[in-house]
C-alpha cells in the first residue's frame, strides 16, 4: 500500500474504546485514499509491543495519538483495507483500445 492509492474498507468493526477516542472511522465497502503509510503499534491502549502497518486516509481526520511521543494522528491498521484494483484513466483508455483492436484482429 502506498500514498495516493485507493483502498476499500473490508472491516469496520471497532471496539467501544476506539469508537470513543476516534473522531471519524471508516465504513465497510467505502473507498478511501491513502494519505500516509506508517509503522504503528498493534494496540492503542498503553502502547503495544508489536508493530503493524498503519494508514492515514485523505477522507478521515482524527485526534493525535495520546501515546505517541511525536503526536502522530490516530490511524488505522492496513489489514482493515483491500487495494482497489483501478487503473488511472489514461491506462484504462489504452487497455480498452487494445481490447477493441485485438477483437477486430480475430
Amino acid at each position: 500500500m502506498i500514498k495516493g492509492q485507493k483502498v476499500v474498507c473490508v472491516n469496520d468493526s471497532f471496539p467501544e474504546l476506539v469508537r470513543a477516542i476516534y473522531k471519524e472511522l471508516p465504513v465497510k465497502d467505502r473507498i478511501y485514499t491513502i494519505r500516509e503509510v506508517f509503522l504503528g503499534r498493534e494496540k492503542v491502549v498503553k502502547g503495544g509491543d508489536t508493530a503493524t502497518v498503519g494508514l492515514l486516509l485523505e477522507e478521515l481526520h482524527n485526534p493525535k495519538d495520546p501515546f505517541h511521543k511525536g503526536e502522530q494522528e490516530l490511524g488505522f491498521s492496513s489489514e482493515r483495507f483491500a487495494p482497489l484494483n483501478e487503473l488511472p484513466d489514461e491506462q484504462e483508455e489504452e487497455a480498452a483500445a487494445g481490447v477493441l483492436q485485438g477483437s477486430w484482429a480475430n
Side-chain angles (χ1 to χ4, degrees):
M1 295 190 168
I2 59 172
K3 184 176 180 176
Q5 182 179 9
K6 298 282 186 185
V7 292
V8 62
C9 178
V10 295
N11 177 356
D12 66 355
S13 296
F14 293 95
E16 286 304 314
L17 175 64
V18 170
R19 292 186 178 283
I21 62 175
Y22 278 68
K23 182 177 157 191
E24 299 180 306
L25 295 171
V27 176
K28 188 173 181 177
D29 297 329
R30 287 206 185 150
I31 297 170
Y32 298 93
T33 308
I34 297 175
R35 176 167 35 114
E36 186 178 330
V37 179
F38 62 93
L39 189 59
R41 292 185 318 276
E42 189 68 31
K43 296 180 181 180
V44 174
V45 179
K46 296 186 182 178
D49 56 1
T50 58
T52 185
V53 175
L55 303 176
L56 297 180
L57 306 169
E58 290 288 348
E59 297 81 2
L60 304 177
H61 297 273
N62 283 289
K64 303 294 182 196
D65 182 341
F67 299 105
H68 190 271
K69 290 181 182 178
E71 297 185 353
Q72 181 174 337
E73 181 180 332
L74 289 165
F76 304 100
S77 170
S78 62
E79 293 179 3
R80 292 185 173 276
F81 302 89
L84 186 65
N85 296 330
E86 84 175 10
L87 297 171
D89 292 343
E90 185 177 301
Q91 288 178 342
E92 199 168 276
E93 289 173 7
E94 289 173 6
V99 169
L100 290 176
Q101 289 173 354
S103 65
W104 289 108
N106 291 333

